[in-house]
Amino acid sequence: RRGRVAAPPRGAAWIFRGRVAAAPRPRRGDSVETGAHLRYASVSDETGGVSCQRSKRTRSVARRDFHHRMILSERSAEILALDIRGFVFFGAAAALLARLKREAGVDDEDEAPSPVSWVVLDCSDCAGVDATAVRACFVPFQQLLLQKRAKLLFCGLRPHVRESLERHGADLNRACFKTADAALEAAEDALLKRATAGQPTQRPPDSFDELRPLENAARPLEEILGEYLEDEKRDLAAAAGDLGKYFSRHSISQGDALFAHGDEAKTIYVVHAGTVDLKQAGKRIARVKRGGVLGELCFLLRHRQSLDAAAATHVDLWSLTRDSYDAMRRDQPVLHGLIQTALLKSMALQVSEGLSIGNWG
């Protein structure tokens, strides 16, 4: 009957499009309207009551410098994000394993490496998983990925789902994250480490050490801006000595605000070291790391700030005020044109990345 889903009696079964699947047992605290049963009953029946689909989000909200953003754009296929929904029981394990292998492009009989390096399983809508399903699906899939020099990351696990995975053989050491965004950011950091590491210090591809956050090394302003100006680097180098006349450098402590929604947009910021969170109505929609630019959109459009910005860590940054920007345009038109080009490229990347993370940042 529409509108309400009644919890089935013990031993009953859910019926999905003509198929019958054993119903999960109610857990203490589950709500019939909002708990595990409603989530289980509402998913599409692709593998016996379980849905496995590619996630609409393929990038984290982390905003990095131009070089790292281009690497992630060019190598985005190396990170695969999948959504698991429903209750994974033994009858669906074989079909789900086959689906996971197909999505990841791996096969037991093929010795070739996996085309993906990280598979993120978002289990936020996974109501439960039984012991047989863990041993027959998730453990062999994780082991197969390791053989193919790839890694399986879990996120959004409910406590009882995590307990079942750990109890029956899944390795969640440095492979379990609270949110999909955290898992994607860890995978991106690992990809960047692998892409930029020198041969003498490069870690083995099957080491989880590369999932640790990137080192927070500071970089010169000229170098950061120069990455946006590949064809104009010589022009920037010639004018780099004047950057200090217009950009000022300062630090803020963790928790300090840079600007709030509704403030006048009168400054552009470039992160030298640390991390700044951008939030909309209390929800984080971007995490600006070293080399990232923020505040430029509303600044150039002369709009009021549409987001809140606060330091997630201690932050060193450069700032360009409107007075300095106008003075640069008047006194150093070549340098002003270069800065404007860099800002426009940064905004263009934001649009591209916004399509991958489900918002426009």
Side-chain angles (χ1 to χ4, degrees):
R1 206 171 65 186
R2 288 191 179 181
R4 296 179 67 85
V5 178
R10 185 183 298 274
W14 290 109
I15 300 177
F16 298 93
R17 299 181 184 175
R19 301 181 189 175
V20 179
R25 292 183 178 182
R27 293 184 175 273
R28 181 176 299 177
D30 276 350
S31 164
V32 174
E33 298 300 325
T34 61
H37 293 294
L38 180 55
R39 290 182 182 273
Y40 181 45
S42 66
V43 299
S44 59
D45 180 45
E46 295 190 1
T47 56
V50 179
S51 170
C52 173
Q53 299 177 343
R54 293 209 173 201
S55 175
K56 294 181 180 179
R57 286 191 57 178
T58 58
R59 289 281 298 272
S60 76
V61 298
R63 189 185 300 172
R64 299 169 168 83
D65 61 40
F66 180 81
H67 179 57
H68 286 166
R69 291 161 83 176
M70 291 304 296
I71 291 175
L72 292 175
S73 176
E74 293 167 359
R75 300 178 60 169
S76 60
E78 293 185 34
I79 300 175
L80 172 66
L82 299 171
D83 295 334
I84 304 296
R85 295 174 180 150
F87 190 97
V88 188
F89 67 108
F90 68 94
L96 180 57
L97 177 59
R99 176 65 179 269
L100 291 173
K101 289 180 180 178
R102 185 167 65 252
E103 291 288 354
V106 295
D107 188 274
D108 300 87
E109 300 179 358
D110 187 358
E111 297 182 359
S114 169
V116 299
S117 297
W118 293 271
V119 178
V120 176
L121 293 187
D122 187 350
C123 301
S124 302
D125 290 326
C126 178
V129 55
D130 67 21
T132 304
V134 175
R135 292 192 291 262
C137 177
F138 294 108
V139 171
F141 183 58
Q142 186 176 51
Q143 293 173 344
L144 178 61
L145 288 179
L146 287 175
Q147 293 173 9
K148 304 293 185 180
R149 300 182 179 181
K151 299 178 182 66
L152 179 63
L153 307 181
F154 295 89
C155 61
L157 294 175
R158 302 182 187 188
H160 63 275
V161 175
R162 176 168 183 162
E163 179 184 356
S164 182
L165 288 169
E166 291 180 318
R167 179 183 299 176
H168 300 291
D171 182 6
L172 301 187
N173 182 34
R174 278 182 281 177
C176 185
F177 299 85
K178 186 175 181 180
T179 65
D181 186 71
L184 287 168
E185 185 172 345
E188 291 167 358
D189 283 347
L191 189 158
L192 291 171
K193 277 190 176 182
R194 183 178 295 185
T196 59
Q199 292 297 325
T201 58
Q202 190 168 9
R203 297 184 182 274
D206 58 348
S207 170
F208 275 94
D209 287 345
E210 63 185 2
L211 287 172
R212 293 173 181 168
L214 288 168
E215 291 79 5
N216 204 12
R219 304 174 58 210
L221 178 60
E222 179 188 352
E223 181 182 343
I224 292 174
L225 296 175
E227 292 178 348
Y228 292 90
L229 301 167
E230 184 175 356
D231 298 329
E232 300 93 351
K233 278 188 176 181
R234 289 185 179 180
D235 295 333
L236 179 64
D242 293 324
L243 286 173
K245 296 179 181 179
Y246 306 105
F247 285 85
S248 60
R249 184 174 171 183
H250 55 99
S251 300
I252 59 174
S253 301
Q254 182 178 9
D256 288 353
L258 276 178
F259 53 78
H261 178 273
D263 287 352
E264 182 182 355
K266 54 185 179 181
T267 308
I268 296 171
Y269 301 96
V270 180
V271 177
H272 180 69
T275 303
V276 177
D277 282 346
L278 297 178
K279 296 183 178 181
Q280 187 174 53
K283 179 183 177 182
R284 189 180 72 182
I285 65 168
R287 192 171 181 84
V288 187
K289 295 190 169 189
R290 59 190 176 95
V293 182
L294 66 150
E296 73 276 29
L297 180 61
C298 291
F299 179 94
L300 293 177
L301 293 176
R302 294 184 178 271
H303 290 174
R304 291 193 172 273
Q305 297 290 357
S306 58
L307 305 173
D308 299 311
T313 65
H314 180 87
V315 179
D316 292 328
L317 41 79
W318 289 281
S319 60
L320 176 65
T321 65
R322 188 168 299 282
D323 288 342
S324 296
Y325 183 80
D326 292 340
M328 185 193 307
R329 178 172 52 191
R330 181 182 62 251
D331 303 331
Q332 296 281 350
V334 173
L335 179 60
H336 176 270
L338 294 172
I339 297 301
Q340 193 170 54
T341 298
L343 296 177
L344 291 174
K345 284 190 176 181
S346 176
M347 290 190 293
L349 278 174
Q350 287 184 46
V351 173
S352 176
E353 293 162 354
L355 296 174
S356 298
I357 64 176
N359 64 60
W360 293 86

